[in-house]
Amino acid sequence: GLDSFIFLDDNPVECAEVRRNCPGVLALQMPADLDHVWAFDRKPMAGATDEDRRRTRLYQENAQRQQFRERTGSLKDFIAGLDLRVTVVDMTDSDVGRVSQLTYRTNQFNFTTVRRSEQEIHAFLQRNDTRGLVVRVSDRFGVYGLVGAVLYETRADRLSVDTLLLSCRVLGRGVEHAVVAELGRRAVAAR
């Protein structure tokens, strides 16, 4: 949103125009003492996840992937050349913050679009026969981080998937196949 932008200019007219037309943008007239501007505080965000703190590095790694994609002849060769590593494991308490964040931010590959707070995820996991999985992905260029989640319930004759979502950053690379395969293994083991 506009509240994530900062406009810096030495012209007071330009700053006033931005304030008038885009009230969510922080417009600062230069020279300004930037050491005392709250927007530039280097303190970690409340509730920030590891992925939030690594955001710049994630963008740099993605640029390297895009350059590699442009040099690769086919999508199949591109995916094979990534040396993708997908890990699907049980969710831990330390994962819940990021999983909650994903429920709010993920739209493209989100089977239910049910948004859940950390408390709601904890409550789901406290019910009988419910489990949570997280998906972590890395490749030759770096670590994508925690990019997916599954919440499911084990029933007598099946696994009932409540939530299945993946960040768009990993779509089309076979990650969804690895997640479904892991669910299949768990369904067979639960019989």
Side-chain angles (χ1 to χ4, degrees):
L2 289 177
D3 61 343
S4 63
F5 286 88
I6 300 172
F7 178 79
L8 302 171
D9 200 302
D10 62 349
N11 184 332
V13 175
E14 298 289 337
C15 290
E17 186 175 339
V18 169
R19 286 186 193 104
R20 185 181 70 247
N21 293 314
C22 303
V25 174
L26 175 62
L28 300 174
Q29 184 179 339
M30 297 301 292
D33 184 3
L34 300 181
D35 289 336
H36 294 87
V37 175
W38 62 267
F40 295 119
D41 284 349
R42 303 296 287 178
K43 297 175 189 163
M45 297 182 304
T49 64
D50 289 340
E51 283 75 10
D52 292 326
R53 289 183 281 279
R54 295 187 59 246
R55 184 87 43 218
T56 299
R57 183 69 191 141
L58 291 171
Y59 287 133
Q60 292 167 340
E61 291 168 357
N62 202 48
Q64 292 175 323
R65 286 180 195 100
Q66 185 58 37
Q67 290 171 356
F68 176 64
R69 171 67 182 109
E70 291 168 3
R71 293 189 316 263
T72 307
S74 69
L75 181 61
K76 181 180 176 183
D77 291 341
F78 168 67
I79 292 172
L82 283 176
D83 188 26
L84 207 63
R85 293 171 298 283
V86 179
T87 307
V88 182
V89 296
D90 289 317
M91 187 183 305
T92 66
D93 285 342
S94 65
D95 297 325
V96 171
R98 173 65 176 156
V99 171
S100 173
Q101 187 181 66
L102 283 171
T103 69
Y104 285 97
R105 292 184 177 177
T106 305
N107 295 311
Q108 290 181 345
F109 195 94
N110 186 335
F111 280 28
T112 61
T113 65
V114 173
R115 312 309 184 182
R116 283 201 169 91
S117 67
E118 291 182 39
Q119 294 80 9
E120 290 169 323
I121 294 169
H122 282 295
F124 177 89
L125 295 172
Q126 294 302 316
R127 297 186 344 218
N128 285 338
D129 301 319
T130 57
R131 302 289 294 267
L133 303 174
V134 294
V135 182
R136 289 186 173 82
V137 177
S138 62
D139 66 17
R140 67 185 262 193
F141 296 104
V143 176
Y144 293 81
L146 196 161
V147 295
V150 180
L151 297 173
Y152 68 93
E153 182 178 358
T154 304
R155 296 194 179 162
D157 60 344
R158 68 186 176 275
L159 294 186
S160 177
V161 176
D162 175 89
T163 300
L164 174 58
L165 53 89
L166 287 173
S167 169
C168 62
R169 294 182 292 133
V170 298
L171 291 182
R173 298 182 179 168
V175 175
E176 54 275 18
H177 301 283
V179 173
V180 171
E182 179 60 25
L183 282 170
R185 282 190 286 279
R186 288 172 182 254
V188 168
R191 293 186 352 182

